[in-house]
Amino acid sequence: MTDAILFASQPTLVGEAVTLRPFEAADADAMLAILRDPELRVLTGSTHSRTDAEADDTDEARIREWYASRAEQRDRIDLAIVDRSTGRVVGESVVNDWSPEDESANFRILIGPEGRGRGLGTEAIRLTVRLAFTATTLHRLELEVFAFNPRARRAYEKAGFVYEGTRRQAFKLDDERIDAVVMSILRPEWEAAGAPATPAAGIS
Ligand SMILES: CC(C)(COP(=O)(O)OP(=O)(O)OC[C@H]1O[C@@H](n2cnc3c(N)ncnc32)[C@H](O)[C@@H]1OP(=O)(O)O)[C@@H](O)C(=O)NCCC(=O)NCCS
């Protein structure tokens, strides 16, 4: 990766139901539990087998090192999603694979079982998109979502991502071939939509 800087520091974003904040080393405990969730492992493509998804083969040392080093990153954004009703870390929201020349990057999000289905994901996506288009020069955010994940697709659509195309049968889960749907959001579209999702207490 280049030494170019997407962010001088990892910010904190305060929304109504969630706070997005830089990772601390101690968050690895919460993230380990989240990343071991079999449903999450299938939905994120972390495994190619539903049976393997149940196995606890997480590399704990690597995960601890990963979350201890997220706050130092300057070419990507990795933010912990904190459920404001409990103060607990429930997932992560990430802007990665930055291409400075194209002013484009990838977006991904994951939330563990305790945080799902309550609107936290949609708010976290909106906050991250807003951050990308207000605090960086990014023009485009893109993502991939498997066809068997309508909940994620719906959350992305609510936050303004639009369908772009399908990578047909791009992923194999056991004997099943799964389409991967490509979605994106462009800065002018986001601005035309009224730059939605102003954080309650802003960016710090
Ligand atoms: C994807 C994810 C971030 C969404 O966050 P969330 O907090 O669970 O989602 P929200 O509650 O904000 O919104 C989900 C929306 O999908 C809808 N939904 C839920 N299940 C659905 C289904 N089977 N079909 C269609 N829509 C569905 C909900 O009704 C809601 O829409 P609404 O507000 O219009 O009713 C989260 O569920 C998650 O991380 N899941 C596991 C990992 C994953 O899938 N990551 C994404 C990989 S691409």
Side-chain angles (χ1 to χ4, degrees), residues 156-185:
Y156 295 140
E157 283 169 349
K158 283 197 294 178
F161 281 86
V162 298
Y163 172 80
E164 195 166 86
T166 297
R167 296 179 58 230
R168 297 178 302 155
Q169 303 188 1
F171 183 71
K172 197 169 172 207
L173 181 66
D174 297 313
D175 292 333
E176 211 181 335
R177 297 192 188 277
I178 313 291
D179 288 348
V181 169
V182 180
M183 303 179 77
S184 65
I185 183 167

Side-chain angles (χ1 to χ4, degrees), residues 40 43-44 109-112 115-123 125 144-146 149-152 154-156 158:
L40 182 141
L43 292 172
T44 56
I109 185 170
L110 57 84
I111 294 179
R116 298 202 281 256
R118 292 188 282 122
L120 306 188
T122 300
E123 188 180 50
I125 298 164
E144 264 188 35
V145 55
F146 294 135
N149 195 355
R151 177 177 56 197
R154 171 78 184 130
Y156 295 140
K158 283 197 294 178

